[in-house]
Amino acid sequence: MSVESVKDLFEKEGMGDRVRYSEVISDTVENAAGMIGCEPAHIAKTMSFLVDENPIVIVASGDTKIDNARYKSVFGTKAKMIPFARVEELTGHIPGGISPFACKADVKVYLDESLKRFDIVYTGGGDEHNTVEVTIPVLEKLSEYKSWIDVCKGW
């Protein structure tokens, strides 16, 4: 999986140029925003959690944080991030490079409402050196998201 799967997906859609490589590591919102030259809010950070021991990822604006009460109201449980050592095994992407695209088949993708205020966002591209520029409709289509949710605060 990882970056090659993301590249393949975008190549098949005729959008291979949207996956961008940089020598600069973009493993945090701040690093990615600095590398791209955008505000942190435009970074669509992809966070991995376990819900009833099943992996999910939530894609949210880079200027937000998970609100535990909102999370619990959506998922019925307290937010539990996937342990660092298990992120790649469960999602198909390495920590610091999690992408909402080309995840393992059993990973459910959720998009947070905080992203809807932007036309274009930048997601992880499967490793810490690749990012992907996408519109919200492309994010919806290629992430095969399950639903829009409202679990973040700060925006």
Side-chain angles (χ1 to χ4, degrees), residues 55-73:
I56 68 165
V57 296
I58 297 174
V59 188
S61 176
D63 63 349
T64 64
K65 293 184 180 196
I66 295 292
D67 180 291
N68 287 317
R70 289 182 186 179
Y71 183 98
K72 190 170 185 174
S73 73

Side-chain angles (χ1 to χ4, degrees), residues 20-66:
R20 297 184 182 152
Y21 175 83
S22 173
E23 288 293 327
V24 177
I25 293 177
S26 60
D27 60 341
T28 66
V29 168
E30 293 76 20
N31 288 346
M35 188 235 340
I36 293 165
C38 69
E39 293 296 318
H42 288 267
I43 301 300
K45 63 183 175 182
T46 306
M47 302 168 284
S48 58
F49 296 90
L50 289 172
V51 175
D52 299 325
E53 298 306 311
N54 297 307
I56 68 165
V57 296
I58 297 174
V59 188
S61 176
D63 63 349
T64 64
K65 293 184 180 196
I66 295 292

Side-chain angles (χ1 to χ4, degrees), residues 92-105:
H93 299 294
I94 64 168
I98 300 174
S99 179
F101 310 111
C103 292
K104 287 192 169 184

Side-chain angles (χ1 to χ4, degrees), residues 5-151:
S5 297
V6 174
K7 286 180 182 177
D8 290 347
L9 175 65
F10 277 83
E11 287 291 336
K12 287 177 188 168
E13 294 292 324
M15 296 184 279
D17 61 331
R18 303 258 182 116
V19 181
R20 297 184 182 152
Y21 175 83
S22 173
E23 288 293 327
V24 177
I25 293 177
S26 60
D27 60 341
T28 66
V29 168
E30 293 76 20
N31 288 346
M35 188 235 340
I36 293 165
C38 69
E39 293 296 318
H42 288 267
I43 301 300
K45 63 183 175 182
T46 306
M47 302 168 284
S48 58
F49 296 90
L50 289 172
V51 175
D52 299 325
E53 298 306 311
N54 297 307
I56 68 165
V57 296
I58 297 174
V59 188
S61 176
D63 63 349
T64 64
K65 293 184 180 196
I66 295 292
D67 180 291
N68 287 317
R70 289 182 186 179
Y71 183 98
K72 190 170 185 174
S73 73
V74 171
F75 296 105
T77 188
K78 185 177 175 181
K80 178 183 174 186
M81 294 198 82
I82 295 176
F84 186 88
R86 297 197 64 210
V87 170
E88 185 173 13
E89 165 198 348
L90 295 175
T91 69
H93 299 294
I94 64 168
I98 300 174
S99 179
F101 310 111
C103 292
K104 287 192 169 184
D106 60 340
V107 176
K108 292 180 181 163
V109 177
Y110 295 89
L111 305 178
D112 187 75
E113 294 282 333
S114 61
L115 295 169
K116 286 187 173 179
R117 60 194 158 137
F118 304 111
D119 294 326
I120 294 174
V121 294
Y122 302 88
T123 71
D127 71 11
E128 68 275 4
H129 289 282
N130 285 275
T131 57
V132 185
E133 177 184 339
V134 292
T135 62
I136 297 303
V138 169
L139 176 61
E140 289 175 327
K141 177 184 176 186
L142 297 185
S143 70
E144 299 179 1
Y145 77 108
K146 183 167 176 56
S147 66
W148 283 96
I149 57 175
D150 184 10
V151 297

